[in-house]
Amino acid sequence: MINADTVIVNNVADFGAKADGKTDSSTAFLKAWAASCSSSKASTIYVPKKKYLIGPTIFLGPCKSSKITFRIDGILIAPDFKQMKSSVENWLKFDRVKGVSIIGGVLDGRGSSLYSCKLAKKACPRGPTSLGIFSSDDVTVQNLSSLNPKMFHIVVLASKNIFLDGVKIRAPEDSLNTDGIHVGKSTNVRVLNTGIKTGDDCISVGPGTENLWIERVTCGPGHGISIGSLGMGLEEEGVQNVTVKDVEFTGTQNGVRIKSWGRPSKGFVKGVVFKHAVMNNVHNPIVIDQNYCPQHEGCPGQHSGVQIRDVTFGNIKGTSASQVAMKFDCSDINPCKGIHVENIKLVYRLPQKQGEQQKPKPTESYCRNVKGITLGSVFPLLTC
């Protein structure tokens, strides 16, 4: 432990962490955390530029100081899924902390063997999220890279004032359930300057999310940026005040999407803005789907109770990989209200062989159960 400019520095190596990528250093990391958490002074937990194997670990607060920096210059490596209990939901979890900054470094979730297990439809565990931020306040994650998680990359739950900036997220296109960033039951979350390539939603937004700002994000491969799925339960919190702007999607399944289960719910979505988005060969660029029901189980014949209102789609352009570039499939019992669409230009490009030249073709739109829609310059034409 050294003292520099009144900031305590706790180097994990000084607490016994082995930089061989093979020896479990969980205890050493927890000892470094305990030293910082128990001090009233500002401190840094330092991870040198080497590889460290660390098992499922909870960094638990509250701490005496609200100025703790986790400075990672190295790579943190997760155990193989066969070496972890199937009940583990988070690999690295920050719980009930305040004023923590996680800066730099790489989280290697080592999810490849679990992906293979799931794709082969064997009996596999669900797998843990790589980084969980739970019941916390004033947390910054900056310039962190997340590779191949066993489940989600990053989850923010029941937290407020969370800032994610310059994060890099990578997983194969066929990796199952590897959402890039999931936000739920949280307020004042910002995601900026982030590049996401993964096998599921680039960013997913769950119930109870309020004041979420997403800006300068690239997505692809992946399933797009999705609010939902919502309405799984009857008593569910709503989603409100979400802004998604200056984003780019390349080869994704969806672009910007709101989806809810076709079943009763008291949930809602309101005050959402999607603007300044570029679509590059996106299968479903703009989607509202209130009839979500995988395998048609648990909701046949039912209609979504989630109320969707006051949503803006503006300045969205690019190419669609399907002819229906804009789809609003709203609930029979709770039609979408106050949908504003302007400055949309989406063209359809059929799959083409290498070197083949092809002119873009007109796209189409689909609209059902929408009230109070207002239109600016829109292509494809939308008649609701």
Side-chain angles (χ1 to χ4, degrees), residues 101-148:
S101 297
I102 305 165
I103 309 296
V106 177
L107 304 183
D108 185 352
R110 291 181 66 195
S112 297
S113 58
L114 185 55
Y115 305 158
S116 298
C117 181
K118 289 181 177 179
L119 288 169
K121 297 184 179 179
K122 296 180 180 179
C124 316
R126 190 166 183 256
T129 288
S130 281
L131 175 62
I133 301 169
F134 287 66
S135 304
S136 296
D137 189 5
D138 291 326
V139 175
T140 294
V141 179
Q142 194 167 35
N143 299 329
L144 176 76
S145 294
S146 174
L147 307 177
N148 301 327

Side-chain angles (χ1 to χ4, degrees), residues 8-229:
I8 297 171
V9 179
N10 294 309
N11 189 322
V12 295
D14 294 337
F15 291 86
K18 302 298 183 183
D20 58 7
K22 298 177 181 179
T23 305
D24 189 344
S25 295
S26 306
T27 300
F29 274 71
L30 284 173
K31 286 180 179 178
W33 173 259
S36 288
C37 190
S38 61
S39 174
S40 59
K41 295 183 178 180
S43 66
T44 295
I45 299 168
Y46 180 63
V47 181
K49 197 174 183 179
K50 295 179 180 180
K51 294 182 179 181
Y52 297 88
L53 176 68
I54 178 170
T57 304
I58 300 175
F59 301 100
L60 183 64
C63 298
K64 289 185 178 180
S65 172
S66 59
K67 292 183 179 180
I68 298 177
T69 298
F70 225 111
R71 176 73 201 194
I72 307 171
D73 284 346
I75 301 173
L76 306 188
I77 302 172
D80 186 79
F81 80 92
K82 295 177 182 178
Q83 300 170 317
M84 302 174 73
K85 293 181 179 179
S86 59
S87 59
V88 173
E89 295 184 355
N90 295 275
W91 170 32
L92 304 176
K93 180 179 180 181
F94 288 81
D95 190 7
R96 285 174 276 175
V97 303
K98 179 180 174 64
V100 170
S101 297
I102 305 165
I103 309 296
V106 177
L107 304 183
D108 185 352
R110 291 181 66 195
S112 297
S113 58
L114 185 55
Y115 305 158
S116 298
C117 181
K118 289 181 177 179
L119 288 169
K121 297 184 179 179
K122 296 180 180 179
C124 316
R126 190 166 183 256
T129 288
S130 281
L131 175 62
I133 301 169
F134 287 66
S135 304
S136 296
D137 189 5
D138 291 326
V139 175
T140 294
V141 179
Q142 194 167 35
N143 299 329
L144 176 76
S145 294
S146 174
L147 307 177
N148 301 327
K150 293 178 176 65
M151 190 69 176
F152 290 7
H153 290 261
I154 299 173
V155 168
V156 177
L157 191 67
S159 297
K160 59 181 180 179
N161 304 319
I162 309 298
F163 180 43
L164 307 178
D165 179 41
V167 176
K168 294 181 180 179
I169 288 173
R170 300 291 184 269
E173 187 173 3
D174 61 354
S175 58
L176 300 175
N177 305 121
T178 53
D179 285 30
I181 298 169
H182 176 77
V183 181
K185 297 181 181 294
S186 298
T187 59
N188 299 329
V189 177
R190 291 181 294 157
V191 181
L192 304 179
N193 307 310
T194 291
I196 304 174
K197 297 180 178 182
T198 196
D200 210 299
D201 290 341
C202 289
I203 300 176
S204 57
V205 182
T209 299
E210 183 175 354
N211 299 336
L212 170 63
W213 190 279
I214 299 168
E215 185 174 4
R216 295 188 298 277
V217 169
T218 59
C219 170
H223 293 181
I225 295 178
S226 294
I227 296 176
S229 52

